[in-house]
Amino acid sequence: MRGVYTVFRKELADHFSSYRFLILFALITMVSLIMVYMAGMGLREALEGAVKPKFVFLMLFTSTGALFSLSQFVAFFGPLIGLVIGFDAINRERSTGTLSKLVSQPIYRDAIINGKFLAGVATIAIMLTSIALMISGLGILILGVVPGIDEILRVVFYLLISLFYISFWLGVAILFSVLFRSIATSALASVALWIFFSFFVTLGANVLANALVPMEKDATTVEQVIKHVRTQKALSLLSPMVLYTDSTSVIIDPMKKSTRSLMLVGPLEELSLSRFQNPLPLSQSLLVVFPYIAVLVAITLVCFGITYAVFMLQEIRAL
Amino acid sequence: MAEDKIILETQNLTKRYGQILAVDGLSLQVQAGEIFGFLGPNGAGKTTTILMLLGLTQPTGGRVRVCGFDPTREAIQVKRRVGYLPEHLGFYEDMTARENLRYVSRLNGIPEETAGPRIEEALQTVGLPDDGDRRVGEFSRGMRQRLGIAEVLIKDPQLVILDEPTLGLDPDASNRIIGLIEELSRAKGITVLFSSHHLHQVQKISDRIGIMIRGRMVAVGTIDQLAQEKLGIGKETYTLEELYLKYFQEA
């Protein structure tokens, strides 16, 4: 434990004093504040004179002020935080020769990888929390509403899911820094994987669904449409970004009751749905997206597990 | 520590990388307090041997005991007692010398109160008392090497293993390192095992030497003994260089 803590402390200090972190943090803070400001102004205008709906505060995260909403922004560019923090974690030490020094100290070898991963996660957590607090402050100023306990809890869960999502990409970056000796290669490989899973998988899911379950213009049955949508959904879930956006959109928006875009409802259900237009309690929102969250946590752990195993089994000669 | 106490012992130590036999049945004993010079051409298996002594590489066969522990099973115990200076030693360039030493002392679990004085003492010993707050990035090669030795001293080792400590140094810097090694051994009773290609320096400070060629230890003993055996001449009329080349040609 002493080893993990020592490595963790040193890595955390390194992160916070690096220019890389400062630039990233400044950039993300700036963009977030601008977006929340725009969203807040838009909301204020829209709600002028109207009765305020419930959960105005949470709308800050979901309403599209400028180009996209804040939660979309984190979904798109959050992974970049993880990648930037992790892509040279191991191979930089290898190229400067400090890794062979570390492994010859009386600490277990996994303390190095655990300490580095935990320091990365802590950095991300501190970054996310501070940005969320700044946003909340700005939101309260603009909207003049104070979030209730339910809203605060929802934001906390939103942050937790974001933390796992970004940590997954941190894990990927550290894995590549173990696998590749060149820093440039690991950076490029992790960015390539990020682009593939975030953008191409969602695009590819459409294309593949069209190929697997084609929909003709005139003679499409209901069954076909359902099958098509389901195939497309299943394929797009391969992307961590889709997992993340689906789960957070339900968490952050109490009015949203399902991650599905297409819902089959019978006449009676339709009636009950229109009569009960009330928000879901937090526990129910969590229940709706629990499988998504579970998968996000699982891929993060699996990714770290692979990194751990590869690092532990590597010949020291290669260090 | 008793003069005849064995601090490092290997029996039939073997390491195989695929088809290549890197270390072939090495049996060696190093006594506490002595300076052991480890010679051999590049790629002879010296570094591999050193890595096995530290438990950084698994031996294919044979037995190793360092400070009474098996490096494969009790690597932590061995690493606590053995200071290792790798061939290509690295520092965190953005940190000062003192911060680098502080990190190593924390990794060794040295309490903060004792770490401070120990760091100062180590810097003093290696002749860098005024450079502690400079970034290591500014250090010359010789200074880095001395800082490396300071780093090894931090953990108060019983045995120090130095892999080519004078590699790429100018004669003056290299003499300083050699002098430092000798001083440590004589003053503190630390056992030293070091590999080098600078034969006259090895001759100057080593109590015993071992010559390794293509994974086999071809000779172990005091330089005088070996010279007597191999060259059949007495002291002062030979150099280690002649002896080394003789073994090398035969192998």
Side-chain angles (χ1 to χ4, degrees), chain A residues 5 20 35 42 70-71 79 84-85 88 104 113 125 127 129 172 195 197 213 215 229 248 254 311:
Chain A
Y5 177 65
R20 193 196 301 181
M35 279 190 338
L70 189 72
S71 60
V84 165
I85 287 178
D88 62 348
S104 57
I113 195 98
M127 213 161 161
T129 317
V172 168
I195 291 175
F197 274 107
V213 193
M215 289 206 292
V229 172
T248 49
F311 182 69

Side-chain angles (χ1 to χ4, degrees), chain A residues 181-292:
Chain A
R181 301 193 117 208
S182 146
I183 296 169
T185 313
S186 71
L188 282 177
S190 41
V191 168
L193 203 72
W194 165 56
I195 291 175
F196 178 78
F197 274 107
S198 298
F199 305 109
F200 289 146
V201 167
T202 35
L203 286 177
N206 282 326
V207 177
L208 258 177
N210 279 334
L212 290 173
V213 193
M215 289 206 292
E216 287 93 33
K217 268 225 166 71
D218 32 335
T220 324
T221 59
V222 178
E223 282 75 25
Q224 256 181 319
V225 175
I226 296 168
K227 207 174 163 200
H228 178 87
V229 172
R230 285 205 176 138
T231 320
Q232 195 240 330
K233 184 77 195 172
L235 286 171
S236 70
L237 280 180
L238 281 175
S239 161
M241 191 173 85
V242 174
L243 281 174
Y244 172 75
T245 38
D246 278 1
S247 46
T248 49
S249 65
V250 172
I251 293 289
I252 212 77
D253 183 359
M255 301 306 284
K256 218 170 163 199
K257 296 182 176 80
S258 163
T259 57
R260 269 168 288 184
S261 48
L262 185 76
M263 258 192 291
L264 290 176
V265 280
L268 279 176
E269 279 173 291
E270 199 180 350
L271 186 70
S272 71
L273 273 176
S274 61
R275 284 184 64 191
F276 301 105
Q277 280 293 354
N278 274 331
L280 283 181
L282 176 59
S283 60
Q284 293 304 307
S285 290
L286 279 173
L287 205 61
V288 169
V289 290
F290 179 74
Y292 291 74

Side-chain angles (χ1 to χ4, degrees), chain B residues 3 37-38 54 59-60 63 71 74 78 90 97 101 112 119 126 156 183 195 197-198 200 214 223 233 243-244:
Chain B
E3 267 305 299
F38 202 15
L54 286 158
T60 316
R63 220 176 66 98
E74 301 150 303
V78 172
L101 294 178
E112 300 286 316
I119 289 169
V126 299
D156 196 12
E183 186 191 319
S195 75
H197 294 302
H198 295 218
H200 62 282
R214 271 187 239 115
I223 299 173
I233 42 176
L243 185 63
Y244 176 75

Side-chain angles (χ1 to χ4, degrees), chain A residues 2-3 6-11 14 93 96-109 315-317, chain B residues 15 17 47-48 51 56-57 76 79-80 84 86 88-92 95 100 103-104 106-109 151 155:
Chain A
R2 167 174 54 78
T6 310
V7 175
F8 170 80
R9 211 169 120 177
K10 189 246 167 202
E11 291 296 323
D14 275 3
E93 300 238 10
T96 54
T98 41
L99 195 57
S100 51
K101 172 164 82 189
L102 277 184
V103 294
S104 57
Q105 303 305 329
I107 51 167
Y108 291 103
R109 212 206 276 193
E315 259 285 330
I316 282 295
R317 220 36 213 272
Chain B
K15 177 69 186 181
Y17 286 110
T47 304
T48 308
L51 291 179
L56 295 178
T57 291
I76 300 283
K79 287 173 190 168
R80 196 165 281 159
Y84 169 51
H88 303 287
L89 81 166
F91 298 98
Y92 299 99
M95 289 173 21
N100 268 286
Y103 187 38
V104 171
R106 284 197 184 125
L107 288 171
N108 278 283
E151 215 168 68
K155 66 167 85 177

Side-chain angles (χ1 to χ4, degrees), chain B residues 183-202:
Chain B
E183 186 191 319
L184 289 178
S185 169
R186 307 293 177 235
K188 300 197 174 184
I190 301 173
T191 317
V192 178
L193 185 144
F194 78 109
S195 75
S196 179
H197 294 302
H198 295 218
L199 297 175
H200 62 282
Q201 291 172 345
V202 177

Side-chain angles (χ1 to χ4, degrees), chain B residues 74-130:
Chain B
E74 301 150 303
I76 300 283
Q77 295 297 333
V78 172
K79 287 173 190 168
R80 196 165 281 159
R81 291 164 176 80
V82 180
Y84 169 51
L85 191 71
E87 190 178 343
H88 303 287
L89 81 166
F91 298 98
Y92 299 99
E93 309 274 318
D94 288 336
M95 289 173 21
T96 65
R98 218 170 248 128
E99 282 165 349
N100 268 286
L101 294 178
R102 177 71 71 168
Y103 187 38
V104 171
S105 81
R106 284 197 184 125
L107 288 171
N108 278 283
I110 298 163
E112 300 286 316
E113 322 75 89
T114 43
R118 223 186 248 192
I119 289 169
E120 297 315 312
E121 195 197 324
L123 283 172
Q124 195 79 43
T125 311
V126 299
L128 297 168
D130 304 323

